[in-house]
Amino acid sequence: MKKISVIIPVYKVEEYLDQCVRSVINQTYKNLEIWLVDDGSPDKCPDICDMYAELDSRIHVIHQKNKGQGAARNAALEQCTGDWIAFVDSDDWIEPETYTSMLEFANEAKLDIVFCTAKIIRGTDCRERRFEYFPDRTIKTAREIEKLTLMDAIGGQPWMKIYKRACWEKLRFPEAMKYEDLAISWLPFAASNGKVGFLKQPFYNYRMNEQGTSLSHSWSKSADIFWGMYQHYVYAKKHYQEVEDTCLCNALKFALGTYNSYIKSGMKTDQEKLNMAMEFLSEYRKAVWKQKGLSVQQKLRLTLYYYCRPLYNILLAIVSIIKK
């Protein structure tokens, strides 16, 4: 019976942590190794983690100084021993049959990675089902999914999936940044020579937490998304030239988004990240109007940015005021 290592980074989620951990320990699939990584959480989360470790021998706790979600996941990846790897965010929860169903499908179809879908939860409201990329029980090669992930046609979130251990053997998350998963989203598929399967059941409950990464607002968030898209482009340029233009368009959009966030935030900035985005925009200035992946509106915005930045800044400020 194969063991699944479930990795849960924990930071400032004492309101939700109990529901998350209980959803994992109550899985119908019992051969689990559960890693709770307390990333220097300043609330009661460290005590809650230790309490669950005393209640269930499958739970291992790592306490570390706050280094971010990527570092927390990496700490568990260094120590976990499962045949399969799964990730759950500590403000989310999973349905009882999640790992039984996913592993049965993996064994039956000889898969290296299995996706499920997710329900979006906001407050007490289940808004919609998301991340359904293909019909139920679709099987693709890892190469196909690697390419689609590079194009950002398939989300690179590590939760909502189970992976054979080999997919993460030599791979770790970038640290000290938001959206650390985006910068490596395609690499677990690159590490596989096998197949990827899709289940349409919404086993994962994804909470849109106002304090979480998805709903938080900061200029650095845009910068980290750009950095991830830039990495997509660099990799595609070397390995998948057929999707290079799509990746370039995505990187250009978020490079401009980084500059926009910088202006909207009152010019609060990490100068190195801002310079990288602006240098990227400058480098591909002549390529903008050739890109089919950019809308006319996006091309006009970029053109205004290039040729009359003071006016661009004024219009950006006006639009921000109107939206408020």
Side-chain angles (χ1 to χ4, degrees):
M1 191 177 187
K2 299 295 185 181
K3 180 166 62 177
I4 303 175
S5 293
V6 184
I7 296 173
I8 307 174
V10 177
Y11 185 73
K12 292 177 70 172
V13 287
E14 65 177 78
E15 180 182 355
Y16 309 119
L17 185 56
D18 184 72
Q19 183 179 27
C20 174
V21 177
R22 286 187 179 277
S23 76
V24 177
I25 64 178
N26 290 329
Q27 287 292 297
T28 57
Y29 192 84
K30 299 301 182 184
N31 193 17
L32 305 176
E33 175 187 76
I34 304 164
W35 290 86
L36 301 178
V37 186
D38 160 36
D39 188 39
S41 189
D43 54 11
K44 295 180 181 178
C45 285
D47 294 333
I48 295 172
C49 291
D50 290 338
M51 177 196 73
Y52 272 109
E54 291 180 4
L55 294 175
D56 193 320
S57 62
R58 298 175 298 171
I59 293 178
H60 307 269
V61 178
I62 299 172
H63 295 288
Q64 65 181 31
K65 292 181 180 179
N66 180 244
K67 300 177 184 177
Q69 187 166 245
R73 288 173 175 159
N74 289 343
L77 283 169
E78 290 294 332
Q79 299 188 46
C80 69
T81 62
D83 305 286
W84 289 80
I85 306 291
F87 300 92
V88 179
D89 284 356
S90 51
D91 50 357
D92 301 334
W93 73 97
I94 55 178
E95 298 298 325
E97 295 286 335
T98 299
Y99 295 138
T100 295
S101 298
M102 295 178 83
L103 201 54
E104 282 179 353
F105 183 35
N107 291 333
E108 169 194 323
K110 296 181 172 56
L111 306 173
D112 283 359
I113 301 168
V114 179
F115 284 66
C116 65
T117 66
K119 292 190 289 290
I120 304 300
I121 312 296
R122 197 158 188 174
T124 59
D125 183 20
C126 176
R127 293 294 183 94
E128 58 184 306
R129 192 167 81 186
R130 289 272 301 278
F131 311 109
E132 185 177 340
Y133 301 112
F134 299 104
D136 191 36
R137 304 183 77 79
T138 294
I139 297 173
K140 299 282 187 180
T141 66
R143 296 286 80 75
E144 290 176 289
I145 305 307
E146 180 186 0
K147 190 185 301 185
L148 288 169
T149 306
L150 278 170
M151 297 168 66
D152 203 36
I154 288 180
Q157 304 88 346
W159 42 262
M160 203 180 62
K161 308 175 182 75
I162 60 171
Y163 308 82
K164 274 191 175 176
R165 182 181 184 83
C167 296
W168 288 94
E169 202 71 61
K170 298 179 181 179
L171 181 60
R172 295 295 182 266
F173 291 94
E175 299 185 4
M177 64 181 292
K178 294 182 173 68
Y179 289 94
E180 71 291 333
D181 47 1
L182 186 61
I184 61 163
S185 58
W186 69 94
L187 290 175
F189 307 105
S192 166
N193 292 315
K195 296 179 293 183
V196 181
F198 295 80
L199 294 174
K200 75 172 186 178
Q201 289 92 333
F203 290 128
Y204 196 93
N205 296 284
Y206 175 58
R207 192 190 307 274
M208 298 293 283
N209 181 1
E210 297 290 340
Q211 304 301 317
T213 301
S214 297
L215 294 183
S216 63
H217 299 281
S218 71
W219 97 269
S220 62
K221 173 180 172 179
S222 297
D224 287 341
I225 295 175
F226 161 67
W227 173 249
M229 289 301 179
Y230 172 73
Q231 297 304 319
H232 285 219
Y233 172 62
V234 169
Y235 189 89
K237 192 174 181 179
K238 184 175 181 180
H239 298 283
Y240 287 101
Q241 286 79 21
E242 65 270 30
V243 301
E244 179 183 338
D245 285 350
T246 299
C247 295
L248 173 58
C249 289
N250 289 337
L252 284 168
K253 292 173 194 175
F254 284 101
L256 186 61
T258 298
Y259 178 79
N260 292 350
S261 295
Y262 161 67
I263 297 298
K264 291 176 184 177
S265 69
M267 301 184 181
K268 297 175 183 176
T269 182
D270 176 321
Q271 198 63 47
E272 184 177 351
K273 290 181 178 179
L274 177 65
N275 288 345
M276 182 173 293
M278 294 180 70
E279 286 169 9
F280 185 80
L281 286 167
S282 178
E283 181 178 356
Y284 291 96
R285 179 174 182 160
K286 293 181 179 179
V288 165
W289 281 94
K290 299 176 184 178
Q291 300 306 313
K292 295 179 180 179
L294 293 174
S295 68
V296 172
Q297 186 181 50
Q298 288 165 338
K299 290 176 181 178
L300 288 172
R301 286 176 181 170
L302 283 161
T303 300
L304 186 58
Y305 164 85
Y306 289 133
Y307 290 100
C308 192
R309 197 166 310 162
L311 178 58
Y312 180 87
N313 293 348
I314 291 169
L315 292 175
L316 188 64
I318 292 171
V319 170
S320 298
I321 291 170
I322 291 172
K323 286 185 176 180
K324 286 181 181 179

